[in-house]
Amino acid sequence: MQSTLNLLRQRVTAAIVKALDLDQADVNPLLTRIQDEQFGDYQSNCAMALAKRMGSKPHDVARRIVNELHVDDISNPPEIKGPGFINFRLSAEFIAAQLAAIPPAPADGRDRLGIPTTDRPTIVAVDMSSPNLAKEMHVGHLRSTIIGDCVARILEFEGHRVHRINHVGDWGTQFGMLLAYLRRTQPGVLDNPDDLHLDDLEQFYVQAKKLYDADPDFAETSRKTVVELQGRDPEVMAVWRAFCDESLRHCRGIFHRLNVTVVDRGESFYNDMLPDVVKRFQDKGLATDSEGAVCIFLDGFTSRDGSPLPIIIRKSDGGYNYDTTDLAAIYHRIEELGARRLIYVVGMAQKQHFDMLFAAARKIGWACDDVELTHLGFGNLLGPNGRPFKTSSGGNVKLKDLLDQAVKRARSVIESSSQTDSASASDGNVSNVAPPLVGGAPGVGDAPLVAGARKRADFDEATITAVADAVGIGAVKYFDLSHSLLGDYKFDWDTMLSLEGNTAPYMLYAYARIHSIARKAGIRFADLPHDTRILLDHPSELRLAKTLLRFCETIDKVAADLRPNVLTDYLFELSKAYSLFYDRVHGVRVIDASPETTRLSRLRLCDLTARTLKLGLHLLGIRTVEQM
């Protein structure tokens, strides 16, 4: 499968070059998808942009371009609408041929639906998650973790080499307090650091802080421990490593549940580079002393009172801070990893911080024109009351507790609701009304297909556990990714676990139902003849096929704009198109369709839909199940 949008762009560009005698480098075909299908599928607005340049009317320019267009193998004859819009309506023959050319799903499960990788691969560093090892991961780490994972998955799918970096806070003054408390409460850690086990990092931190505030002697011990840590005292370093390993064990448990892979890169990794970072800026004349500190002052960055806003890279006491470490990380990722695209998935509150870091990296010459620096900021996760998501006592909600609750809620619904697995024997199709996982009446056209019910007693314990985990964790991730990055959103259990609307349960149920249809039809999708001809005679078949064909360009758009909600919106549209296709009244018969060529064609469309849903959900980091 190739991008139809890119194919048309190539053809329109070639026509503009020939019709208007322009250099290809100066041509933008301005091609977009038409939202209202009554006007076609794609539209080029290039004539309006070129008219003034050519000294002609837009309609005349459009006519000259259309006269040089060769798209008979792609679309019906282009139409000029309005002042000069060029509209394209894909031919059913082209759509069918493109889908028929998609190769079978490989046995290793790495299905690409025939989508090629980029011809310009690069190295990308994605900075994501970044918890502080002194505490457990909380809901504030959710967005950075799953958005970063989705971005990494998309770019890897495109063919880029991606470094998924978990830039963890494993250094700093708070570690003096924690290590001192660890040695006091668990003295055996000195002899057996590998045996360290902390059930609750959060409680451990609270207890250490309470003692620090109440006991001057312990506070002094903590300060001395910081000095020993910074001096690489062997005994203190052994305790520090044990504590970091134990903290990372908690983090990795969360990453495993979220189906996220990262490489842990602590702040300590960059410690030996920090003096050189300062020296490089000093040698370039870009750093100055200010009240005993070494600072970088950049044009355009000022404090509220209008005074210059510095990046402090060495404090007056000779120590370093986060800015120095972040600059060292930029240098390492560009020079050592060879990255040419650096993406930082961090909340919008850090926008100025990254603006200044990026400006400094470009000023010193580490990030040249061929290096793209992106702060992929995002809004906050809010509670149902519209305020920051907190526990009833006002503390941070642990991410582990949130995921436990999601799975528990999903399991409760699965155990109490009904399962549907039989299509109507009379007509081979079923109504497109699904039973909601969480209360509320489903809407026709907005939920996947169902027929007669039976109790979930047919689900064994292992199946219930697997489905509850997929639905619960998937619901949390999908709900987050379906929102615009820049805006805040309210956490809502009922919405995210509903089978109605743009939710993970909706998508997972649609996927499972398609496999249920295959079982009812007595076939395995993998056994369908690959040379099956795809027939698009019914409007619902054509709509579904067009939607399937847009998957490739959707992935390209997500990779370019780094917006996961573009993918969730597409999957929702695909699910609705499939629901209409299978609808008893508005769609077509599938299981008992005749003749056999028609039946096989429609089953092939079912298979391609299931594969697209599975791949799309995989790129969002969501596991699928074949029964729900």
Side-chain angles (χ1 to χ4, degrees), residues 277-502:
V277 168
V278 175
K279 186 176 185 300
R280 285 173 180 270
F281 276 94
Q282 289 175 323
D283 291 347
K284 289 275 190 177
L286 299 175
T288 58
D289 291 338
S290 177
E291 299 180 8
V294 178
C295 303
I296 304 168
F297 291 95
L298 300 163
D299 294 339
F301 295 99
T302 58
S303 302
R304 290 183 178 180
D305 61 3
S307 61
L309 185 64
I311 297 178
I312 301 174
I313 56 175
R314 191 173 69 203
K315 298 183 290 186
S316 58
D317 62 3
Y320 305 99
N321 58 19
Y322 297 123
D323 289 338
T324 326
T325 302
D326 285 345
L327 284 169
I330 289 177
Y331 180 81
H332 180 265
R333 292 166 190 181
I334 294 173
E335 295 298 327
E336 300 298 325
L337 300 183
R340 287 299 173 266
R341 190 177 186 185
L342 276 60
I343 302 169
Y344 290 79
V345 188
V346 184
M348 285 299 299
Q350 297 297 316
K351 181 180 186 304
Q352 185 181 66
H353 171 73
F354 285 105
D355 286 347
M356 296 180 73
L357 284 180
F358 295 165
R362 294 203 183 279
K363 189 84 171 178
I364 199 172
W366 296 346
C368 301
D369 292 342
D370 66 332
V371 175
E372 182 180 348
L373 302 173
T374 302
H375 169 218
L376 189 61
F378 52 83
N380 298 313
L381 188 161
L382 305 177
N385 59 3
R387 297 175 180 175
F389 201 35
K390 299 288 185 180
T391 63
S392 57
S393 61
N396 288 325
V397 177
K398 293 180 184 178
L399 191 47
K400 175 183 179 298
D401 292 343
L402 180 76
L403 300 181
D404 286 346
Q405 180 73 350
V407 174
K408 181 179 179 181
R409 285 174 177 259
R411 183 185 182 95
S412 176
V413 173
I414 291 166
E415 290 178 331
S416 63
S417 60
S418 59
Q419 164 75 0
T420 63
D421 195 34
S422 59
S424 168
S426 62
D427 64 2
N429 276 33
V430 291
S431 166
N432 61 348
V433 180
L437 281 177
V438 176
V444 175
D446 283 336
L449 1 141
V450 210
R454 65 176 186 196
K455 293 297 181 184
R456 289 199 193 275
D458 65 318
F459 272 18
D460 59 23
E461 177 61 25
T463 301
I464 291 176
T465 299
V467 173
D469 188 73
V471 172
I473 303 296
V476 171
K477 297 179 74 172
Y478 192 97
F479 191 67
D480 187 298
L481 296 171
S482 66
H483 287 83
S484 171
L485 292 185
L486 297 182
D488 299 341
Y489 77 89
K490 293 181 182 180
F491 198 83
D492 184 341
W493 285 115
D494 287 348
T495 300
M496 70 173 59
L497 284 169
S498 175
L499 260 179
E500 302 174 65
N502 192 10

Side-chain angles (χ1 to χ4, degrees), residues 21-42:
D21 194 25
L22 296 175
D23 191 290
Q24 182 170 321
D26 297 330
V27 171
N28 185 341
L30 296 176
L31 201 73
T32 59
R33 187 171 72 89
I34 297 176
Q35 298 299 321
D36 191 339
E37 62 182 20
Q38 68 174 315
F39 299 111
D41 299 307
Y42 295 91

